[in-house]
Amino acid sequence: MRRSPLARLLLPTALACALTPALATAQPADGALALDNVHIVEAEHNRVSARSCVRVQDARIATIAAAGAPACLEGARAVDLQGRYLVPGLIDMHAHLTLGPLEIKRERGRAVMQALPDDDIAEHNARRLVAFGVTTVRNPGGDLPAAARYKARLAASELVGPEAFNAGPVINNADLPGLSIAAHSAEDMDQVVRAQVEAGADWIKLYTGLSPELLQAGIDAAHRHGRPAVAHLESIAWPDALAMGLDGIVHLMPLSPDLLTPEQRAAWQATARGGTYSFFEWWEHFDPEGPQAERLVAAYREHRPVFDATLVAFHAAFVQDQDNPYKDDARRHAHPRLLDHWNEWFTFAIGWEPEDFERARAVWPKVQRMAARLYATDARMTLGTDMSNPWIAPGISLHRELQLLAEAGVPNAALLLAATRNAAEALGAGQRLGRVAPGFEADLLVLDADPLQDIRHTRDIHAVVLDGEILTTTALNQLKGE
């Protein structure tokens, strides 16, 4: 929970006189705020409530009553929302909050890759996440000292940002300073996991280069130390990893030869190229209605993993050769260092030729179909963006992810639950986050239109309530740097 005097943090001295009145009219009086005349979006029932009054006190939802109820309004700063719509604050389950650019340096005559943390990028990301209604994130891989600095600054009211749940550097078969650490044996794995837990890791992130034996060792070590294990996997088939006890999977890119039939596998491997070409080459052979897809769906139903598809990260790569909204978002909202980095060289489509982009776009309907099938299971489906990777701008990209999944056929109510209640429960915070209900923390989003009717309405943000304090248009624009 953030305890931040938002007016002081948001307003530079030179602007304070001009902007303070606009912000001050929305601040709680006598410790209470009443959001009156608002429809609560009840995604679990696929409906909205009658016009209601939501009283916020001590940064939590105190009561919910009928619009205009004296018990809700008494002694509170009342804000008439004129029939707008209220949802919980959004949760991005795949936001590399502190990550800096992926760089290559020369060290002892050889090239070394690194992705060092950047506190300025973290603050930039945090402000824009809040501006777009993202009040909680999971950072699924990064520098734990940087994550600790972010948490300390948030607690000290030195910045405005979402609450963060963090994994440490991803555990893989090679080191990449700032982003990954190697484990070559079960003993290594236990030591790395123990060190990450002691440094404050909420999750353990396992990566594509691990053998099945080391993946199992990582899952077991995470559980021994009281942490869930999530993985980015390619060569190891997801059903096999889930049977090992893996708690979560990221990215809708299975890319395992064991999820192809023998004929499909032979055809793929005969022409497969390394690197990110697999993002479309594998899908050219996979059948989202075939027996291996059925195996994958069955595994999701049985094991109920936490899952975020991050479609936006891959779609941005698939259309990178064209003018597209992801580039526009990045120009407006990505940190300049990251934007320069993507423009200069680093993207997920390095080396792709025009025909590669055409092939990638041709398989996109298959990706959509598999997403719809997985999100229709009762697995713990959430939303993520892979923020800080190419063309993924903070905040706005989560709304793009919602739209992509809606276009794939996932119902709007299911998407809202994935972005709120499901994610909070997956984070182990379902008793305090992700719902509009008495006793829950007052991280809320006020929308101009009903997102159950059109998921694009999540972008029509009238106000954000962060830790019980309401930010209206002036403050939100300021957070965006506008």
Side-chain angles (χ1 to χ4, degrees), residues 285-474:
H285 301 279
F286 180 76
D287 179 4
E289 306 296 338
Q292 293 300 323
E294 294 295 336
R295 178 187 172 209
L296 185 53
V297 169
Y300 267 58
R301 288 175 174 154
E302 177 182 358
H303 298 288
R304 300 189 66 246
V306 176
F307 179 68
D308 56 284
T310 67
L311 293 186
V312 66
F314 302 105
H315 196 245
F318 287 9
V319 298
Q320 184 183 304
D321 61 327
Q322 305 173 335
D323 289 333
N324 62 69
Y326 310 114
K327 290 184 178 180
D328 292 338
D329 292 341
R331 293 184 191 109
R332 293 182 64 192
H333 300 297
H335 190 280
R337 282 191 65 211
L338 290 174
L339 181 61
D340 289 347
H341 186 53
W342 306 334
N343 280 319
E344 288 168 1
W345 77 278
F346 178 63
T347 73
F348 288 159
I350 293 174
W352 290 19
E353 298 293 339
E355 58 267 26
D356 296 317
F357 288 102
E358 292 301 321
R359 289 170 66 184
R361 288 191 282 272
V363 304
W364 187 248
K366 288 187 175 184
V367 180
Q368 291 177 303
R369 176 58 184 149
M370 200 67 238
R373 295 201 66 192
L374 293 178
Y375 274 81
T377 70
D378 59 354
R380 293 172 288 172
M381 308 310 269
T382 66
L383 266 69
T385 62
D386 213 2
M387 186 192 78
S388 292
N389 274 298
W391 313 119
I392 306 304
I396 182 62
S397 289
L398 191 65
H399 299 276
R400 299 285 184 199
E401 180 75 3
L402 284 162
Q403 184 177 348
L404 288 172
L405 285 164
E407 291 170 356
V410 183
N412 294 340
L415 289 173
L416 290 172
L417 289 173
T420 57
R421 186 196 68 184
N422 291 4
E425 290 176 350
L427 292 170
Q431 77 286 356
R432 62 181 181 89
L433 297 176
R435 298 174 190 258
V436 182
F440 279 70
E441 292 181 19
D443 288 344
L444 305 165
L445 188 54
V446 181
L447 304 175
D448 286 328
D450 181 4
L452 291 174
Q453 299 303 313
D454 188 332
I455 203 64
R456 290 173 295 183
H457 290 323
T458 60
R459 304 179 202 178
D460 300 331
I461 298 173
H462 177 74
V464 173
V465 179
L466 182 69
D467 204 31
E469 298 184 55
I470 188 167
L471 303 173
T472 50
T473 303
T474 298

Side-chain angles (χ1 to χ4, degrees), residues 20 24 58 77 100 106 136 157 167 170 185 192 216 267-268 294 327 340 361 391 403 448:
T20 296
D58 296 327
R77 172 75 66 180
R106 302 295 297 180
T136 306
S157 301
V170 300
S185 67
V192 169
Q216 183 71 73
W268 174 46
E294 294 295 336
K327 290 184 178 180
D340 289 347
R361 288 191 282 272
W391 313 119
Q403 184 177 348
D448 286 328

Side-chain angles (χ1 to χ4, degrees), residues 98-181:
T98 64
L99 186 65
L102 181 66
E103 299 172 332
I104 300 176
K105 67 173 184 175
R106 302 295 297 180
E107 186 176 277
R108 297 179 182 177
R110 64 188 181 93
V112 177
M113 297 186 72
Q114 62 183 21
L116 302 182
D118 187 308
D119 290 353
D120 184 60
I121 289 176
E123 181 170 353
H124 174 102
N125 288 339
R127 292 167 70 91
R128 280 156 179 79
L129 286 162
V130 169
F132 285 102
V134 180
T135 58
T136 306
V137 298
R138 182 183 68 176
N139 180 352
D143 184 77
L144 285 169
R149 290 194 299 273
Y150 173 83
K151 282 190 172 185
R153 293 187 67 198
L154 208 60
S157 301
E158 294 176 1
L159 55 78
V160 177
E163 180 177 2
F165 294 77
N166 301 290
V170 300
I171 306 175
N172 202 15
N173 60 346
D175 291 315
L176 194 163
L179 190 57
S180 75
I181 186 169

